[in-house]
Amino acid sequence: MTVENDSPKGDVETVIEVYELHASASSGRARRDHDQLARLGKKSVLKRHFSFMSILGFSCTVLITWEVTLIVYPQSLLNGGPAGVVYSFLVVWLGNACLFSTLSELASLAPTSGGQYHWVSMLAPRSCAKFLSYVTGWLALTGWQGITSSVGYLMGTTIQGLIALTVPSYSPQPWQGTLLLCASVLLCVLVNGGGSSILPKIEGMILVLHILGFCAFLITLLTLANHNDVSPIFTTFYNGGGWPSQGLSFMVGLMGNVYAIVGVDSSFHMSEEVKNPSITVPRSVMTSIAINGVAGFAMVIAILLAIDINNIEAAITSRTGFPFMDLLLKVTGSMSGTALLITIIIIMCAFCSIGVFASSSRVMWSFARDRGLPFWRHLSKVDPRTSVPLWAIAVTTVISCLLALINIGSTIAFNVVVCLSVSGVYSSYLIVTVLLLYRRCTGALEISNPHVSDSSGKELVWGPWHIPGVYGIINNVFAIAYLIIILIVSCFPPVIPVQASTMNYSSIITGSVTIFSVVYYLGWARKVYQGPIVEI
């Protein structure tokens, strides 16, 4: 039955009503986001400009897996050969899927910029929660500072490689790489310091370039290159590092692909700037792992089809320092076409630096907000005009430029910083993942029993993104096993016998950070740091 309306609404009234309903829904979502953060004891001081697509673009841009795969494949090819490259990528992809599905459960439970150290404080037994949280915070913070410098260094050296390719007389110098790294930091400051609404607008466009660039590279390699037979790619192993066994060589070769999928937790540290983060952030993280994993694996196969797998030494050697550049020039036969393709890689590295810089500054800001750092009163401030933590951005800038100066004196010393980018953040992952498994196995985190307190007395309640029951436990166990393996092999040098130029300083630098954080905690921080502070 149809009921006639005696006073039909005009078009204007209808538009106004729809607008008001939309505004009411948006206000309701904003209120839920505010309440969710308040439940964690935190004030909502950052503007939530990131939607699902923009945070997905942010996550994919920070990963840039297929781009980094082109750069680092020689490491896995040296230790593992063609088959090693293929299978190590699959192992790393699966391991990261398990790891970040585990961490996504925590991001859904407690979407906060603090990430790992905040979750450790929630999950650890009360007797050691404050101490473990503090050490985890320093590991994550120093790891992200290392990632910030290493990505800028990668962009700078790629530019140097392009110049060396196009100008044969050019000889790359370390100080030039340092200046280019500082230039990338300046770009990061301009974008990140300009306002919180700028970065989300950029990320959607960069996601398009990320996908289109992948298509351009893949089509080029598949259509123009002379291809190897497919079968040897999956069966040919190589031990160029001189290791006692092929199995050990394969394990060392894992690290090449680990670098291609590092930094997925960047989205976690942007949670307080994302709309509906308990659902949006986990979905964006897992979607980005799927997208980048597929693109990275396709690029691995395309590279192995195009290189000379019968002469691996030649395939991993280049005057530019980047064998993929020589491969592109050989395939295309055009210097200008090759330069254009390499420019896409450089652009993606630049925007990766911007995203990494944002995450690194948010980690510093959040840790300072909870009084985990010296000068926390300044570092925890958010500029009211731009809605960004300008002090944390400024200090991140200074640290990155100071670390860049190390490269002038010693490339080996700067490699210590690069090692920290993996060992630091992966150590923080391991601590929080073990504690989550502990909580799961002791029945302290169950949907049917939500009123279990964390170390500060707040309730532990599963978020909407959750792997239930025994499947979650199996996933946690696999993630822990993967982390332990990666942390062990990350301490191995690429070749033996070891020289100063090939030494891996990962264990030394990670151990130094851990010792420093313990000493600093016992001497000063334990009097100030009480774990995540309850602001509301």
Side-chain angles (χ1 to χ4, degrees):
M1 180 177 66
T2 304
V3 179
E4 297 291 339
N5 190 342
D6 294 335
S7 301
K9 297 179 182 178
D11 292 339
V12 175
E13 288 84 353
T14 301
V15 170
I16 292 175
E17 184 177 282
V18 170
Y19 175 81
E20 289 176 345
L21 288 172
H22 176 73
S24 177
S26 299
S27 177
R29 287 194 297 269
R31 190 66 197 174
R32 285 195 298 272
D33 294 341
H34 178 275
D35 292 344
Q36 185 176 47
L37 194 58
R39 184 176 63 82
L40 300 173
K42 297 300 181 185
K43 293 180 181 179
S44 184
V45 296
L46 301 176
K47 297 294 180 65
R48 296 184 182 272
H49 291 294
F50 280 94
S51 62
F52 172 76
M53 287 305 300
S54 56
I55 196 63
L56 174 62
F58 180 89
S59 183
C60 287
T61 302
V62 168
L63 280 180
I64 56 169
T65 300
W66 70 262
E67 295 93 334
V68 177
T69 297
L70 281 167
I71 296 173
V72 302
Y73 78 84
Q75 184 172 347
S76 295
L77 197 60
L78 175 67
N79 285 296
V85 176
V86 173
Y87 299 125
S88 65
F89 186 92
L90 293 175
V91 169
V92 171
W93 186 13
L94 177 61
N96 275 279
C98 291
L99 169 62
F100 286 101
S101 60
T102 295
L103 296 181
S104 289
E105 292 182 287
L106 293 169
S108 183
L109 185 155
T112 169
S113 297
Q116 293 93 299
Y117 83 85
H118 195 122
W119 301 333
V120 166
S121 180
M122 297 176 65
L123 298 171
R126 191 164 302 189
S127 59
C128 59
K130 188 169 70 169
F131 172 73
L132 287 177
S133 173
Y134 191 77
V135 172
T136 303
W138 270 101
L139 287 170
L141 175 64
T142 52
W144 270 100
Q145 292 295 327
I147 293 174
T148 303
S149 296
S150 60
V151 173
Y153 177 73
L154 181 66
M155 187 197 79
T157 52
T158 305
I159 293 175
Q160 287 184 291
L162 175 58
I163 298 173
L165 183 71
T166 55
V167 183
S169 60
Y170 172 71
S171 178
Q173 300 297 319
W175 64 268
Q176 296 167 341
T178 294
L179 289 178
L180 290 169
L181 195 162
C182 292
S184 76
V185 171
L186 178 60
L187 175 64
C188 294
V189 173
L190 291 175
V191 175
N192 281 278
S196 59
S197 63
I198 296 177
L199 191 56
K201 295 176 181 177
I202 294 175
E203 295 301 335
M205 296 184 291
I206 298 304
L207 178 59
V208 174
L209 179 61
H210 179 60
I211 295 173
L212 292 179
F214 164 73
C215 294
F217 271 83
L218 192 67
I219 292 171
T220 299
L221 292 174
L222 292 181
T223 58
L224 300 180
N226 295 320
H227 295 152
N228 301 306
D229 292 334
V230 174
S231 179
I233 291 175
F234 295 91
T235 58
T236 303
F237 290 89
Y238 182 74
N239 182 1
W243 297 99
S245 67
Q246 183 62 59
L248 184 55
S249 177
F250 172 82
M251 298 299 289
V252 174
L254 283 172
M255 292 308 298
N257 286 312
V258 168
Y259 287 120
I261 317 183
V262 71
V264 186
D265 62 314
S266 58
S267 297
F268 298 151
H269 303 299
M270 305 298 292
S271 292
E272 295 181 36
E273 298 168 64
V274 178
K275 300 172 185 176
N276 194 17
S278 60
I279 295 177
T280 303
V281 170
R283 284 181 178 173
S284 68
V285 166
M286 298 312 297
T287 303
S288 67
I289 289 177
I291 292 173
N292 281 275
V294 170
F297 186 69
M299 193 59 66
V300 163
I301 299 300
I303 293 170
L304 295 176
L305 286 172
I307 65 173
D308 183 3
I309 61 174
N310 296 315
N311 189 357
I312 291 179
E313 289 293 338
I316 61 177
T317 304
S318 172
R319 183 181 61 84
T320 66
F322 297 94
F324 84 92
M325 296 184 180
D326 300 272
L327 175 63
L328 287 175
L329 183 59
K330 177 184 176 182
V331 168
T332 61
S334 168
M335 182 64 76
S336 58
T338 299
L340 178 62
L341 290 173
I342 296 172
T343 301
I344 295 175
I345 300 290
I346 294 171
I347 293 173
M348 291 307 304
C349 286
F351 282 97
C352 174
S353 296
I354 292 171
V356 165
F357 192 94
S359 295
S360 184
S361 63
R362 297 322 186 261
V363 174
M364 178 177 290
W365 166 76
S366 182
F367 202 33
R369 175 179 59 175
D370 291 318
R371 304 180 184 179
L373 297 174
F375 310 108
W376 57 266
R377 287 183 177 86
H378 296 289
L379 293 174
S380 59
K381 289 181 180 179
V382 174
D383 183 71
R385 296 168 300 173
T386 59
S387 298
V388 294
L390 288 181
W391 277 95
I393 289 174
V395 173
T396 300
T397 302
V398 172
I399 292 174
S400 298
C401 291
L402 289 177
L403 292 176
L405 295 177
I406 298 174
N407 184 57
I408 297 177
S410 172
T411 304
I412 297 172
F414 187 80
N415 287 336
V416 173
V417 178
V418 176
C419 292
L420 180 63
S421 63
V422 171
S423 60
V425 292
Y426 270 62
S427 296
S428 70
Y429 298 159
L430 180 60
I431 295 172
V432 71
T433 307
V434 168
L435 288 172
L436 178 59
L437 181 63
Y438 157 75
R439 282 285 191 172
R440 264 193 156 116
C441 292
T442 55
L445 263 172
E446 297 292 343
I447 295 177
S448 59
N449 182 27
H451 301 291
V452 179
S453 296
D454 66 7
S455 60
S456 61
K458 295 188 289 294
E459 294 174 355
L460 286 177
V461 184
W462 281 121
W465 206 97
H466 167 54
I467 302 176
V470 67
Y471 299 106
I473 293 176
I474 293 173
N475 192 56
N476 281 181
V477 170
F478 192 92
I480 291 171
Y482 170 73
L483 283 169
I484 292 173
I485 291 172
I486 295 303
L487 285 172
I488 291 174
V489 299
S490 69
C491 299
F492 281 68
V495 297
I496 54 174
V498 181
Q499 300 175 353
S501 60
T502 59
M503 174 64 181
N504 188 328
Y505 298 91
S506 178
S507 58
I508 297 175
I509 190 67
T510 305
S512 299
V513 170
T514 304
I515 293 171
F516 170 80
S517 63
V518 171
V519 172
Y520 193 70
Y521 174 82
L522 295 175
W524 178 82
R526 63 187 177 87
K527 304 171 186 176
V528 180
Y529 183 75
Q530 302 299 323
I533 291 175
V534 177
E535 299 173 329
I536 297 180

